Structure formats: C-alpha cells, structure tokens
Amino acid sequence: MSEHDRGMTASPLSDEPVHEAVHEAVHEPFVRSLDALGQWRATLEERVRDLARFLGEQGLLDENAGALLDSLRQRLAGEKLVVAFVAEFSRGKSELINAIFFADAGRRIMPASPGRTTMCPVELGWDPEDAPGLALLPIETRLEGASLTELRAQPQLWRRVPIDAGDPAALAQALDAVRGVRAASLDEARQLGFWDDEQPADNPPLRPDGQVEIPLWRHALINVPHPLLKRGLVVLDTPGLNAIGAEPELTVGLLPNAHVVVFVLGADTGVTRSDLEIWRDHLASQALTRYVVLNKIDALIDPLSPPEHSQAQIALQCEQVARTLEIAPERVFPLSARQALAGRVSGDAQALADSRLPALEQALAQQLLPERRTVLERMTLEALDAIREQILRGLLDLRRQLAEQIQELDGLRGKNSGKVRLMLQRVTAETNEFEQCTAQIQALRLVHARALKAAMAPLAGDALRRQVDAMIGSIRDSFLKLGARRSYTQLFAALRGVLDSAQQQGSDLRDLLSASCNRLNTEFGFSLMLPPAPELARFRDDLALIERNYIQYLGLTQAVRLAQPRFLEQFRRMLMSRLRAVFEGAAGEIELWSRTVSGQIDAQLRERRKSFKRRRESLERIRLAADQLDTRLAELSAQDQRLATTEVRLQALDDRVRRAATRHELALPSDFSPLSRPMPLAPAAAPVPAVVTGDA
C-alpha cells in the first residue's frame, strides 16, 4: 500500500472521513459558502415545516396556505446552483472542475488528459430518487427532433451504467464512457450536425476511409451522492465549439439557465479564433454572470527568468484577454488548475496559493451565492406575508364571533326560559337573514369566474405558441434572415403588452371584487379583506432577461445557422419552453390570488354558519338545563384564551422563520468539514440536472 493509500481512510464520496491534508485543503471560500447556503436553506426549510405543522394542528391551514407553504419548502429543499464551464477542448475544464469540487477524492474524477477527453455535454448532480449511476443518451436521438427535456422523460432511450459512489477509482473509470466516439459517413455527420460544407474549418478531420469521428453520446447525466451535489450544486461542462454548435439546446437552453458561466482559456494561447467565436456567439450576452479563467499559467513561467518577468507576462495576458473579450479585468482569473489539484490532494498550501485558484473561488463565493440567497429570502418573506395576513385575519374573526357569543350568553344570567326562547328565535332569524348572502356570493363568483377567464386567456399556451410560430415563420421567410432580429423584438414587445394587459385586468378584477366584498362586510358581517392585486413585474423582468439572452442568435453573423431548419426548430422549441415557463408563472400568480380570495370567502361563510349552529346548540342546552349557562360561558372563555395563545404562538413562529430567512451570517464550527460531515437536506422536489464536463 502506498503512502497516499495509507493516509486516505475513505472517500468523501461516501461521506466517510478523508485524508487530513485533503480535509484542510478543500476548506476553501466557495465550498464553505456553499455549505453555509445549504445550512441556511435547511434551517429555513425546517422553520417553515414547523410553522406548517403548527397551523395544521390548530386547524388553521387551509388548502391555499398549505399549497403555498409546501411550494416554499420544496423550493428551499430542491434549489439548484448551476455552474457552467465552457471552453474549447484542451483548455483544462475538467481539471478545473476536479480542483474546485472533487479534490476530496484524492484523485481525478472527471476525465482529464492531453487532447480531447469529454466528447458530449455532461451534467453532474444528485437526485436521491435515482440510484448512483451514469446515463448516456445515444447521438442518434438528434435525428428524432425531440428536445433533451422531452428525452429525459423517456428512460428507455438512455443507457444506464451503475456507479459505486464509494470507490473514486471506479467512478473515474465509469466516467471515461463520455469519451466514446464512433465512425460516421459524411452524410450521417451532416444529418447529426457535425459536418458543415459551408464552414469547413470547423469540421472534424477526414479518416483515410472517408469517414469522420463523431461522439458516441449526445448527452450524459451523472448522478452521484457527493456532499456538494447533495447541497444542490450542478456543474455543466461543454466539450468545445463543434459540440456547442451541433447541439442547439445546449446554447439556447442549458447555458442561459446557468447561474454563472466560467469561460476557460489557455494562458499560453490567449484568445484563439475558436475561443472568440464561442464567446461572441454564445457568451457575449450581458445577462449572463461570466468569469474568464486563464488556465495553465505555469506554462508562462520561465525558469531562466526572474519571477517578476513571469508575473508581468501573466498580467499582460490578462489585460489583453479582458480587452479582446470586452469584459472587466477583475473578471479574468489567471490560475493553474493542475497545480491547484495537486496542492489540494497533497495538502501543499503553498502550491495551492501559487495556483491562484482561491481567487476565483472567493469571487464565486462573494457574488454568486449571496445572489441566490437573496432570491430565496425574498420569496420566503413574500410567502410569509401572505400567509400571516390570511391566518391572523381568520383568528381575529373567530375571536370576534366568540366575544359576541359570550356577550349574548352573559346577558341571559337570571333570565327565565321565555327569554331563552326569544333568543333562539333571534338566532334563527339572524341565520335566515345571513343565508340571503348566498345569492350575492353566487353572483360574485360568476363575475369573478368570467373576469378571471378573460385575464388568463392571453397567458394560455395556445396563444403564446401562435405568436412564437408567427415569429419563426417570419424569420424563415425573410431574405438571408435579415429580418430575424426585427421579428424577434416585435414578438417580445407584443408579449410585454400581454403581461401588461394581464396586470391591468388583475387590478380591474380586484377593484370589481372589492366593491362586492365591502357590501358583504357591511350587510352580513363578513370581515373580508382582499390582498393586493397580483403583481407581474417579476415576470416582465424574466421576459426581458430571455430577450437579452437569445437575441445574440439572431444577428447577421448567425444568418447561416438560422438557415438550417434543424437549428431554427430547436431555437423555437427552447424559446417556447422558456416563454411558457414565464407565462405559466404569471397565470399561476393570478390563479393563486384568485384562489386566495375565493378561499377567504368560503372560509368565512363556513365559519359564520358554524357560529350560528354553535349559538343555537348552546341556547338549546341552556333552555334544557339552566345550570349549564356558567359552564358554557367558561367553555367559550377558554376557547378565546386558546385562540389568543395560538395567535401569540403563531407570531413567534412567524418571527422565527423571518429571523432564519434574514440572518446573513452563519457561523461554522472551526473543525467543520463540509465534505466529510455533510449536512442532511430534504430530498429535492425535482430531478437534479447532471453536470456537463468537458476536455482537459
């Protein structure tokens, strides 16, 4: 057994203790911050679960509030953080992934060797509902026209390879499958998108037999219970320009959805023509959070020159890269991924520092993770505001009804049975009078349903599909696709108008219902209070983000690509998918608001009827046994006290969740190792996308 093997007790891929040097080496800013984010999410999810359980025990959790809390908990438990690595082959992406995320294994996990390694996009993540393994999608599925999203739901099309998550060597060997290639004729390569007669420079080399090598797989999903992946990390790595261009869904789907993109260049080559093509065609959008890595800086170190000369060369290369890519210089990070991985595996702190990798990790930790936390914090507080207002209003109404009953019964002290009969007649009359409100409520529901249908119709999928298809048809018919950008901007202008119209209709609907609710409050003693009109501004922002992300594919430089029916169809599919998510979200916001209003009316109607029934039963018991008056008064007083205690407890739980959501410092114990002692998280609500890996 080697010195290294004796020092390594077990792999953290199986959550067991690790080599002490690795234990310390991986304890870097990004990993620590990701752990803090995961701990915060888990704590907050637990607080939300406590609140939901308390409301359920007290009978205060109606269907709408329960659905909102369940949705919040699932989002907190299933939140994913997508980091995409993009580069041409042989830039060191896989080595960089190994150094940042998987040095704890004590060896390379992602394939990383000279030349081309990963031949297809790979997603690496963790879905606890699936067994650890590698899923490979055959390249031939491109001919079917189905998107990756659709193919994920067809497991029979994927080749499954089991993975022993506790054996890093076996895991690394299994991942070698992503390097698979096969020979194909030129006709087949054209059909699959790997050969373009009009752009011969990007074509793979011809073999002596007239065939070319193409990837064996279209996509790979790696499901591994690594602690970082269990915390919601998803890594995406792309295998070079040729694969990016051949898989439109990668460029118009996966990359724009990433929370951050790391573009890897070679320090010795700088920005090559193909690098610049990837940047301009796929990463130039300002909507993306982008970092540029200048990898392999060790190649610029000249042992015959003083260190200052090498450092000056590295600084000059960074300046030139920033100027060429038109990106802020502080977003360019020179480093050596290989040196960083070796330093972490061996526990050499100086080698790790010399690699300069911690500077990139610090930038990711300081910007990316706080942004994700802010999104979740805002979502949590908005949900709490809606639930607290609804629940407290219901409690207030219940206590008001109890006070009326106590006052009514207290007035019966010393009264004869005749007085009790009069009170029973009064309750019966009030009940009959109250039931007259049902006609108004029915009319209100009809008006509500018609107005809601009118507001939702423009947001429906069919209407959206017609607009997108009209835009695609306009692009297809335009000469040299010169009108593509104009058609695209016209589409988004129309879609913004749809959202604005829905926002206005939502406000009009609230005004309409407000007058009816005020009448019910005045005439029948309801305490209805409508929530603010549904707010769709964030969906308008999402629409603007999509517009900025995708417009880069419609410029003059993309005319040749737009002329390809396959690319244009894939563009339509992915754009439709993103837009559908926005419009379904907007429709869901309006529908949730509508259900909240309807639920409030139904709940108060139900409680008022229960109140009349309880009053009648109470008076009947008193009529039959006068000595029960004091007992009934004591019961009502006890109920009121319990409601008061419930209100105090609810406020305390609500404050507890809010404090957990807004706490911005999460201290970790000095001996806490995020990779050796993973924090348990709730299962994700949706499958975790795998990590896409690339070449070394």
Side-chain angles (χ1 to χ4, degrees), residues 493-529:
L495 295 180
R496 281 192 294 273
V498 171
L499 285 181
D500 292 343
S501 175
Q503 174 78 71
Q504 184 59 50
Q505 287 180 303
S507 298
D508 294 342
L509 175 58
R510 186 188 186 282
D511 293 341
L512 179 66
L513 297 180
S514 180
S516 298
C517 289
N518 288 337
R519 278 198 306 274
L520 289 172
N521 291 344
T522 302
E523 298 177 12
F524 300 101
F526 283 87
S527 59
L528 301 172
M529 183 179 298

Side-chain angles (χ1 to χ4, degrees), residues 16 34 146 150 231 293 307 402 507 608 618 665:
E16 297 297 330
L34 185 60
E150 296 167 329
R231 286 156 174 73
V293 165
L402 280 175
S507 298
R608 290 301 299 277
S618 177
E665 294 295 336

